[in-house]
Amino acid sequence: MFDAFRQDLTYAVRGLRTRPGFAAAVALTLGLGIGANAAMFSLVDRLLFRPPPLMPDPGTAHRVYLFQTFRGTERANGSHQYARYTDLAQWSTSFSNSAGYTERELAVGVGDAAREMQIGIVSASFFSFFDAPAVLGRYFTAAEDMPPLGTPVAVLSYAFWQTQYGGRRDALGSTVQIGPVLYTVIGVAPRAFVGLWPDQPPAAFIPITSYAGAASASLTLRSSWWKTYQWGWMSMIMRRKPGVSIAAASADLTNAFQKSFETQLVENPRNTPASLARPHAVVASILSERGPNESSVAKVATWVGGVALIVLLIACANVANLLLARALRRRREIAIRLALGVSRARLLSQLLTESVLLALLGGTAGVLVAQWGGSALRAAFLPGTAQSSVVGDTRTLLFAGAAALGAGLLTGLASILQWRRADLTSDLKAGAREGTFHRSRARAALLVLQGALSVMLLVGAGLFVRSLHKVQALRLGYDVDPVLLVNLNMRGIKLDSARKVDLRTRLLETARTIPGVTHASTQSSVPFWSTWSVGLYVAGIDSVNKLGEFDLNAVSPEFFATLGTRIVRGRGIEAGDTQQAPRAMVVSEAMSKTLWPAADPIGQCVKIVADTMPCTYVVGIAENIKASALNNDPGLYYYLPSAQFSPQTGGLVIRTAGNASAQMATVRRRLQREMPGASYVTITPFGDIVGSQTRSWQLGATMFVVFGALALALAAIGLYSVIAYNVVQRTHEMGVRVALGAQVGDVVRLVVAEGLRVGVMGVAIGTGIALAAGRWVRPLLFEESPRDPAVFAFVAIVLLAVAVLASWIPARRAARVDPNQALRGE
């Protein structure tokens, strides 16, 4: 068997060396398909399949999601209060271990050397979920992770230990400032340990209680943060005991959650009762993108993975057509070998070996394509994550090898099916033309398949492009590109109320003096980032909260000019809205129609925080803004003067005359001079915040267009090669037609009609499949019907035009056939 395989391999290599152009065309075609799939597999694998490094038995480890019904809508919440975490751990019996965790970007270091880095904030039990003993020192213990303040100890990541400490052992016992707290280094994690964040590895790990103890000070919860249910900020993982099913674990956790929910109602009786909230818990995959809160980016990545598979199928169909054409040219050779006694099984083995060898060459090219394309995909789908090499990824390489082997078997199947019933007698007697029509039906079927698959991809591209166009044309209620967001990171610097107000006033005045800055304002809420709401009381309305959730923003007078939000009626916040002036507010159009549907909102009285507070009067109506969702956002938003309702928190928004991103460094340097002590400012382009909301449509449009164009190119090349080959095979026929008086146009129409028939059949089949698949892609679109006739019509025209063009080139060649040469050649 080994000798036979070696001979087959030698024969295949020799045959490919004689036709290097053919081998290169096949390898490149398969390389594009395999490379696209390997790159997408690398991405989808990290999102949906690859378990966290060094975690044993990841199937028994779960993230915890708590469900509640709010105003008729059930929501899954993955962020919990510390008190909830201890309740669930204490009152459930189906789990052997539980841990709390979160990740934050905190400043590490002091002075000019301070840099914001990802920090893993975890309970002491978190490390027991992994088989990752410390390479130096130890991990922190439960005794060091006790509320209210915990112990300021830190475990460094291996990478941070190497880069910042040079791998020195004397790093143990040293101190490093993380956020506002000075931590003592007690250990170093192993090289591969990244917790639950493989794409954004933390620089260090700190106790969850030490972080919460410092962070809660600014939330007026310091004396009770670990035993109240007001601050939901951390997530939770649990490991099932052996023999406990997922359903039983979820039921047990639901009982614990319901008991905890009743305890919360004792603390705050005004909360929604359990009969309406219907609280229940679910244990889901340890991978967040496989949980109930899967992001739209992960959904798009899954669809694009399917699109990449379609591209591979088109590439395989193209290669199968090339192999069929090559097999037809080798008919006499194959027939002679069969006549000399070669068994059909051995012959098919040789053909299969050749196709697999070609696929492996394509797989090698595909790995190179994936190495380049994978970086681009990761930058698009997982921005800001650590780069990784496809060549060094064993799982991706195994997938690429399996894809190459599958492609080789699939493409070789065409030749095997053709020669399995070869007619030895006719093939020995026949010229190259005989039987061409019968054998070309398989090639035509492959062409129709390529056309149909291309239609599906192009329809998807059209739908996503239309969705993206509608998203970009959507009026958000504010401008995005010229705006910068300024956040203040105090790092434990204590300021009283007067000094906080003074700091923000000084920063505001400084910002207005920076060249290129046209407007600046304070803010307390940021669309799509942070929200803030308090109780509202309006005469004649029993409960304002039942009408929706009303978000507020405390701003200074230039806010509307800074953001570009239009005042529809009345006025905006003005410099005269001081503590001594009557309380004023500006409401959105949606809020005005919700609270006063039949009355003039201007001058209406609203009491804020408590019913005993003095009236705040509506002085203006602003256009609706998108603050929580691009579609179905209720727009219930209002604005208060920061001079009258100062939250003493929040930062600034700055409007620049040019590109906001280009002004970031200048703005940060100038404002940093005004910050006290170790505190600092961070500058974020507003476009980065809002852009994250449109990223799924941008990715969908980009990826579908790229893969759709690639599929269309492959289909066009396949159609051209088949038509050109048929023209060569029919040279004698064309010569006879011309000799009998056929005109150039007649010959061209004859050949083009063949390609057009294939295109029409591909459009018809592809359109039917795309219409059937529309209901699954609908959730990923934005205000776009998956059956948009304009998209389907455009795709049909494009594919038919490509079919005509791919046929016209060989048709012109056929029309120039010299009848004398054609007949004499026969």
Side-chain angles (χ1 to χ4, degrees):
M1 290 180 60
F2 177 78
D3 288 341
F5 172 74
R6 180 177 54 81
Q7 292 174 7
D8 291 345
L9 185 60
T10 302
Y11 175 78
V13 171
R14 186 168 62 247
L16 296 180
R17 287 177 61 186
T18 61
R19 292 184 175 274
F22 170 81
V26 171
L28 180 60
T29 300
L30 287 178
L32 290 173
I34 294 171
N37 277 267
M40 283 307 306
F41 173 82
S42 177
L43 177 68
V44 175
D45 183 42
R46 290 182 180 275
L47 286 173
L48 301 176
F49 299 110
R50 185 174 306 203
L54 304 181
M55 176 178 282
D57 197 12
T60 62
H62 303 279
R63 295 185 189 237
V64 173
Y65 295 88
L66 304 180
F67 289 78
Q68 295 184 52
T69 300
F70 183 72
R71 294 193 179 102
T73 302
E74 186 177 72
R75 300 177 181 176
N77 189 5
S79 296
H80 319 305
Q81 306 89 348
Y82 187 87
R84 186 86 71 206
Y85 158 60
T86 56
D87 286 349
L88 298 183
Q90 176 184 357
W91 292 331
S92 59
T93 59
S94 299
F95 305 93
S96 59
N97 196 10
S98 61
Y101 69 94
T102 190
E103 187 185 35
R104 293 287 190 275
E105 195 171 73
L106 301 177
V108 178
V110 294
D112 293 337
R115 295 291 183 272
E116 287 195 335
M117 298 182 180
Q118 297 294 333
I119 301 296
I121 302 164
V122 301
S123 62
S125 56
F126 182 83
F127 301 103
S128 63
F129 279 79
F130 301 87
D131 184 11
V135 297
L136 185 67
R138 62 178 178 84
Y139 295 120
F140 45 84
T141 64
E144 294 168 315
D145 186 33
M146 297 291 291
L149 299 178
T151 304
V153 291
V155 176
L156 305 180
S157 70
Y158 189 90
F160 186 75
W161 177 51
Q162 291 291 321
T163 56
Q164 300 298 317
Y165 294 87
R168 300 192 310 271
R169 299 185 65 85
D170 61 3
L172 292 182
S174 64
T175 58
V176 56
Q177 184 160 353
I178 302 176
V181 179
L182 192 65
Y183 288 86
T184 300
V185 177
I186 62 170
V188 176
R191 184 191 301 269
F193 181 68
V194 292
L196 297 176
W197 308 280
D199 295 309
Q200 293 182 316
F205 300 86
I206 59 176
I208 205 166
T209 53
S210 68
Y211 168 80
S216 62
S218 62
L219 301 174
T220 66
L221 294 170
R222 184 152 202 165
S223 62
S224 59
W225 68 265
W226 69 96
K227 52 187 177 182
T228 69
Y229 300 90
Q230 300 179 39
W231 183 27
W233 59 282
M234 54 177 283
S235 300
M236 184 176 180
I237 55 174
M238 306 184 87
R239 187 178 291 279
R240 280 183 293 121
K241 291 180 178 178
V244 177
S245 67
I246 293 179
S250 294
D252 178 36
L253 201 62
T254 294
N255 291 332
F257 180 33
Q258 290 173 347
K259 186 175 180 180
S260 175
F261 194 85
E262 295 296 335
T263 303
Q264 180 182 1
L265 287 177
V266 174
E267 175 187 307
N268 190 351
R270 298 184 61 185
N271 282 354
T272 306
S275 59
L276 296 178
R278 297 196 292 274
H280 66 280
V282 168
V283 292
S285 170
I286 194 66
L287 300 174
S288 61
E289 294 294 359
R290 294 180 63 179
N293 292 333
E294 177 189 18
S295 69
S296 58
V297 171
K299 294 176 183 177
V300 170
T302 304
W303 271 92
V304 174
V307 166
L309 181 60
I310 292 176
V311 171
L312 180 58
L313 290 176
I314 294 174
C316 288
N318 218 334
V319 170
N321 253 328
L322 292 174
L323 292 177
L324 279 174
R326 187 166 185 259
L328 286 173
R329 287 194 298 268
R330 298 171 61 189
R331 288 177 58 202
R332 283 178 177 266
E333 171 201 341
I334 299 297
I336 291 172
R337 296 179 64 202
L338 288 172
L340 293 176
V342 176
S343 68
R344 289 180 182 266
R346 182 63 185 279
L347 177 62
L348 298 180
S349 173
Q350 289 178 346
L351 295 174
L352 187 61
T353 300
E354 183 180 70
S355 63
V356 170
L357 177 61
L358 285 168
L360 291 178
L361 291 175
T364 302
V367 170
L368 299 178
V369 171
Q371 177 68 19
W372 171 79
S375 300
L377 286 173
R378 287 177 63 81
F381 284 90
L382 298 172
T385 62
Q387 292 296 322
S388 61
S389 171
V390 169
V391 176
D393 187 349
T394 304
R395 289 167 66 99
T396 303
L397 290 178
L398 289 175
F399 173 83
L405 182 60
L409 295 174
L410 189 61
T411 54
L413 186 63
S415 298
I416 290 175
L417 292 177
Q418 177 179 355
W419 292 114
R420 189 168 58 88
R421 296 189 179 91
D423 186 346
L424 180 60
T425 303
S426 62
D427 286 344
L428 283 173
K429 294 190 301 181
R433 291 190 323 275
E434 189 172 322
T436 297
F437 177 76
H438 172 73
R439 288 168 184 142
S440 68
R441 285 187 300 181
R443 304 185 68 196
L446 290 172
L447 286 177
V448 171
L449 174 64
Q450 292 181 64
L453 295 177
S454 299
V455 167
M456 292 174 56
L457 299 193
L458 291 173
V459 166
L463 295 176
F464 270 101
V465 168
R466 297 265 289 185
S467 292
L468 179 60
H469 177 73
K470 291 182 178 180
V471 168
Q472 293 174 337
L474 183 69
R475 172 62 185 173
L476 301 176
Y478 44 78
D479 299 328
V480 175
D481 294 334
V483 178
L484 292 174
L485 174 68
V486 181
N487 271 343
L488 312 185
N489 298 273
M490 301 309 297
R491 296 200 79 183
I493 301 296
K494 300 292 190 298
L495 300 177
D496 57 27
S497 298
R499 293 175 64 193
K500 287 180 180 179
V501 172
D502 178 68
L503 173 62
R504 282 167 175 77
T505 301
R506 191 166 65 252
L507 288 171
L508 197 60
E509 293 172 350
T510 300
R512 290 169 179 157
T513 65
I514 300 174
V517 172
T518 58
H519 298 283
S521 170
T522 57
Q523 50 79 18
S524 61
S525 298
V526 180
F528 301 112
W529 195 339
S530 62
T531 60
W532 187 24
S533 60
V534 296
L536 297 179
Y537 302 87
V538 177
I541 300 178
D542 178 53
S543 174
V544 173
N545 288 340
K546 290 182 179 179
L547 300 177
E549 186 172 347
F550 297 80
D551 295 322
L552 75 88
N553 200 349
V555 302
S556 53
E558 286 191 28
F559 178 82
F560 296 102
T562 302
L563 267 291
T565 301
R566 297 191 293 262
I567 299 297
V568 179
R569 284 186 57 205
R571 65 174 179 86
I573 304 300
E574 296 179 347
D577 295 320
T578 62
Q579 283 282 9
Q580 294 72 33
R583 292 173 176 259
M585 69 186 299
V586 175
V587 302
S588 67
E589 291 181 280
M591 182 172 176
S592 67
K593 294 176 182 177
T594 300
L595 296 183
W596 304 283
D600 185 0
I602 302 296
Q604 295 287 346
C605 167
V606 179
K607 297 184 177 180
I608 299 174
V609 179
D611 198 19
T612 56
M613 295 293 290
C615 281
T616 298
Y617 296 99
V618 177
V619 297
I621 301 174
E623 67 174 314
N624 293 332
I625 69 168
K626 303 289 185 181
S628 59
L630 292 179
N631 50 4
N632 301 322
D633 190 316
L636 305 178
Y637 214 81
Y638 63 102
Y639 308 85
L640 301 173
S642 55
Q644 295 180 348
F645 193 89
S646 176
Q648 301 176 7
T649 59
L652 278 63
V653 282
I654 293 175
R655 187 183 187 94
T656 63
N659 188 329
S661 298
Q663 299 278 3
M664 287 176 55
T666 302
V667 171
R668 190 194 67 80
R669 283 195 302 268
R670 185 64 188 88
L671 296 183
Q672 182 61 45
R673 300 174 191 169
E674 307 298 327
M675 298 298 291
S679 62
Y680 64 98
V681 296
T682 57
I683 312 295
T684 306
F686 200 24
D688 289 356
I689 300 171
V690 179
S692 64
Q693 304 300 313
T694 64
R695 197 153 60 92
S696 63
W697 294 293
Q698 291 173 334
L699 291 174
T702 303
M703 293 296 102
F704 268 86
V705 167
V706 169
F707 285 126
L710 178 59
L712 185 63
L714 290 174
I717 293 171
L719 180 61
Y720 168 79
S721 64
V722 168
I723 298 295
Y725 178 79
N726 285 348
V727 166
V728 173
Q729 294 297 100
R730 300 169 65 183
T731 300
H732 177 76
E733 174 195 342
M734 298 301 177
V736 171
R737 288 178 179 273
V738 173
L740 293 177
Q743 300 298 313
V744 172
D746 298 328
V747 177
V748 170
R749 282 193 295 272
L750 177 68
V751 177
V752 170
E754 181 181 350
L756 198 56
R757 279 195 299 271
V758 172
V760 170
M761 294 177 64
V763 168
I765 296 173
T767 298
I769 298 174
L771 288 173
R775 60 193 181 99
W776 288 294
V777 77
R778 183 189 296 272
L780 300 178
L781 304 177
F782 182 82
E783 298 180 356
E784 172 67 12
S785 169
R787 300 186 175 188
D788 189 334
V791 171
F792 281 84
F794 178 77
V795 169
I797 292 172
V798 167
L799 191 69
L800 293 178
V802 168
V804 169
L805 180 62
S807 306
W808 183 81
I809 297 174
R812 293 290 299 172
R813 186 180 302 122
R816 292 195 298 267
V817 169
D818 185 345
N820 293 324
Q821 292 184 359
L823 296 175
R824 192 177 300 119
E826 284 296 313

